[in-house]
Each structure stands twice: as structure tokens, then as C-alpha cells.
Amino acid sequence: MKKSLVALTSALLVCVSVAGASELNDAVKKDYDDYLADLWDHFHQNPELSLVEFRTAERMAKELRAAGFTVTEEVGGTGVVAIMENGPGPLVMMRADMDGLPVEEKSGLPNASRAQQRDPITGNVVPVMHACGHDVHITSLVGTARQMAARKDEWSGTIMLVVQPAEERVLGARAMRADNIWERFGLPDYALAFHVGAGSPAGKIDAPEGPSYAGADTVDIIVHGIGAHGASPHRGKDPVLIGSQIVVALQTLVARELPPRAPGVVTVGSFHSGTKHNIISDEAHLQLTVRNTNLETREILLRGIERIAMNIGRAAGLPEDKLPEVIISEESVPPTINDPNLARRLKQAWSEAMGDDALFEEKQEGMGAEDFPYFTTDPGITSVYWGIGGTPQEDLDAEEAGGPMVPSHHSALFKIAPEPSVRAGVESTVVALLELMGD
Ligand SMILES: [Zn+2]
Ligand SMILES: [Zn+2]
């Protein structure tokens, strides 16, 4: 008797939660059809470059204000912060980045971007495209705002929606921190964000229980040589040869110094030296990107690069005051590391609300970086950064079967299926917020 009562109660609970889930699913679909589809179209056709997202920020402020949030503009440049207070409870921050890229869209889609803008780096007028899917992020943020405003009786606490500039140049999160976002609007108890991904099935969610993006450092190595005639190498110190030995030796860091299960990347992306066939140059300049998924790996790689560069200089017989200079840029990005408990909790909530097949596990292969950890480190904030698939399963299957490649992020051919991506973006965010702030 007791047993069947328990079974009945849990069956009822399942009914209630599935009913609640499909209610949310229906509400988000309706809002997509009535409102968000056009909004995505607008953002997709009007992308703006990092740091100059003026019209995007203005539109986001207008949308979030219309949804009932208290909005502050120009936080860290073009950043927007929207707050909704709704009684006691946690302060939960959700971030969406809004910048496009200097890429000419060649997707062939009817709503392809034809936008142009003056690039603040070069001063040239360049084509602009949402070639990373940030238009999905901001459209979903508006959808989330509208759902949460309509559901104020289902949650209590404070929501902070953050529209962030210049993610592509890893400047925006730092700029918002430097503009005292926490001091002005409160230090969040939880911080959330997602990225849409062209390599994953549209509308599916993945949240790694640990590192989700790599940490990245930018390193320059200046090799000082001694110039000479190309026919008299004994009169000089050849920085091309010394630099080449450094490039090769750097690969031993990952191959022989990192523990085999600790991933890392050392890429020499640029090597410049010399002017002419028969001149031994007096300088070589190497530019590196160095990736990690934890701070110990970062230390091993950065200290190793210094040690190898200096000592190859010594082995070549360079005097102590002419050893290679290793310059580690301050523009480093820490790894994005999900709180494992929160990731598990949210995955549970997503599969309960959206069905078990809403989740998938993404193959983690690359070492892309993100500037979101500027929000979540120092002071540390419990956070989860999840992925939402953006490409129809049949396109992924076709690629797998040797068909056309699915275009990658930042490519002129990049495209995202907006409906499943935006709807999953809104739904997963609403479910996460209700999980953390629900009654
Ligand atoms: Zn990107
Ligand atoms: Zn991106």
C-alpha cells in the first residue's frame, strides 16, 4: 500500500514536472515565433565589431528595459547591465557577449550580413559578420529576460543580465570588471554563460564538469643575433638558426615535460627575420600562443619557454646581455573551469525539464579560450559555462560520411540554425535560473 502510494506520488510528480517542462517549451516556442526570430534576424544583419557595439548595446538596453529590468548602459565601454530584484534569494548573473567579427559573410543565406564598419584597430572600413554566433547569445538573453519577468511568482532573488562587449579581443569582461561591475551591482553568488557551437547538434546542451575552455597566453620571443654577410657566418650570430632551434625545442615542453594527461599547446604562429638572401640578420621575432587547462600547466609551459629560449641562446654562444628576451603579455586569459557540482546539478535540472536527449557530450578537442573567467576568478564565483549545439544533426552526419564540411566559427561560411539554438539558449537559461532561484 505504502509502496504504491510512493509510486503514485512519484508518478504524479513526474507528470507535474513534464507538464511544467512542456509549458516552458511551448512558451519559448511561441515567443520565438512571435518575437525572437525577428530579433535574431535583426542582430544577424547588424553585427558590430568589438568595442564599437554601440547600436547592439542600445537595442539590448531597450529590449531588457521593455522586459521590466532596470538597465545601466556604458558599463566598461558598451557593456549593459540589467537587474531584476524579486525578493530575498541569491544574486545570479547571466552573461551574453555581443560582438561580431571583421569577416565578409558568404553563407549564401537570404539574411546574410552586408554590414560594414570602421575597424577601431586599423581604421579601415571592413565587412562585419556574426561569425561566432554571439547573435544567438544576445537574442537568447532577451528571451530569458522576457520569460523570467513573466514568471516572477516562480522565483525569488536577483537576476543580473550582463551584455558584454569585445569577447573576441578578450577585453570586454576585464573592462566591465575595471568599471566596478560587482561594486556597483553586487557580487553574484553564481555566474552563468553559454556559447553556441557549430560543431554540435542543434539545440543540444553540454556542460563539462571541469574545464570548458582553455587558458591562453600570448608570448613574444625576441632573438638578438649579430648581423653579418651571408657568406661569412663565422662573423655573426644567426638569429634565424637560433630561432629555429627554439621553435623545435619548444615542442618538447608538451611532448616531454607535461604529464601525458595534462593537455597543453605551444604554437609558434609567426616567425619573422631578415631582409635578403645574403644577409645574416641581427634579430628574429617569434610570436606564440600558449594554452592550458589549469594553472600548474601554465607555469610549466611559461617557465619552460623562458628556460629553453635563454639556454639555446647560451648554447649558441650569445653573450649574457644578448640572450633571447621572452615577453609574456599581460593579456592572458585564465582557463574557464566549471564548478563540477553545479554542472551536475544543472545537467540534472535540464534533463528533467527538457528530456534526457536534451543533453549531449561534446568531444573536447581544441583549446579555444574565452574571457568569461575574468568574471569568475578573483574573487572566485561558482560558475558554469555550457555549450549549445547550433548545426542540424543531418549536416553533422553528412560531414561524418565524407560530405561537405560544417563551416567552423570565424569562417565566412559560418552559420547557425537559429530556431533550435535560440530556443535551447532561452530554455536552458530559464531552467538554470529557476533551479538556482526557484521556490
Ligand atoms: Zn569567436
Ligand atoms: Zn564566440
Side-chain angles (χ1 to χ4, degrees), residues 97-337:
D97 44 3
M98 65 171 154
D99 48 336
L101 287 155
V103 173
E104 184 177 355
E105 179 161 358
K106 294 182 180 149
S107 68
L109 296 175
N111 74 338
S113 166
R114 279 186 275 278
Q116 297 196 322
Q117 199 176 18
R118 193 168 292 283
D119 187 332
I121 306 177
T122 61
N124 299 331
V125 173
V126 294
V128 190
M129 173 184 177
H130 266 300
C132 202
H134 298 184
D135 46 355
V136 170
H137 305 171
I138 47 180
T139 307
S140 300
L141 196 73
V142 172
T144 296
R146 289 160 63 87
Q147 289 300 323
M148 295 309 286
R151 295 167 189 276
K152 282 180 90 168
D153 55 341
E154 294 175 38
W155 59 276
S156 124
T158 301
I159 298 176
M160 179 195 293
L161 303 179
V162 172
V163 187
Q164 185 209 299
E167 186 282 327
E168 295 291 356
R169 294 182 59 193
V170 295
L171 295 172
R174 255 185 304 186
M176 294 188 87
R177 285 294 303 276
D179 203 3
N180 295 319
I181 180 171
W182 301 155
E183 293 78 358
R184 292 164 65 186
F185 305 101
L187 180 67
D189 298 292
Y190 301 99
L192 307 173
F194 79 81
H195 206 301
V196 69
S200 314
K204 305 280 185 197
I205 310 167
D206 177 44
E209 295 169 16
S212 58
Y213 280 88
D217 284 282
T218 297
V219 179
D220 288 74
I221 302 177
I222 315 286
V223 181
H224 302 289
I226 296 173
H229 195 293
S232 303
H234 62 293
R235 304 276 300 160
K237 292 286 177 200
D238 182 359
V240 171
L241 181 58
I242 299 168
S244 303
Q245 290 177 314
I246 291 174
V247 171
V248 173
L250 288 177
Q251 296 312 314
T252 63
L253 285 169
V254 173
R256 283 297 174 264
E257 293 197 34
L258 286 186
R261 286 174 190 267
V265 173
V266 179
T267 291
V268 180
S270 135
F271 184 149
H272 286 271
S273 182
T275 53
K276 198 177 181 316
H277 308 66
N278 60 354
I279 300 175
I280 289 175
S281 146
D282 60 4
E283 190 174 288
H285 186 185
L286 280 59
Q287 296 181 307
L288 285 66
T289 187
V290 184
R291 306 288 167 118
N292 65 74
T293 56
N294 64 56
L295 297 177
E296 297 86 76
T297 298
R298 178 173 188 260
E299 274 309 294
I300 294 173
L301 295 178
L302 294 181
R303 297 292 82 78
I305 290 166
E306 283 176 330
R307 192 191 72 234
I308 285 171
M310 308 279 277
N311 284 298
I312 286 185
R314 284 196 178 99
L318 288 174
E320 284 295 306
D321 62 345
K322 282 215 154 205
L323 293 179
E325 281 176 69
V326 176
I327 303 153
I328 298 164
S329 164
E330 282 175 18
E331 287 189 14
S332 93
V333 185
T336 303
I337 298 175

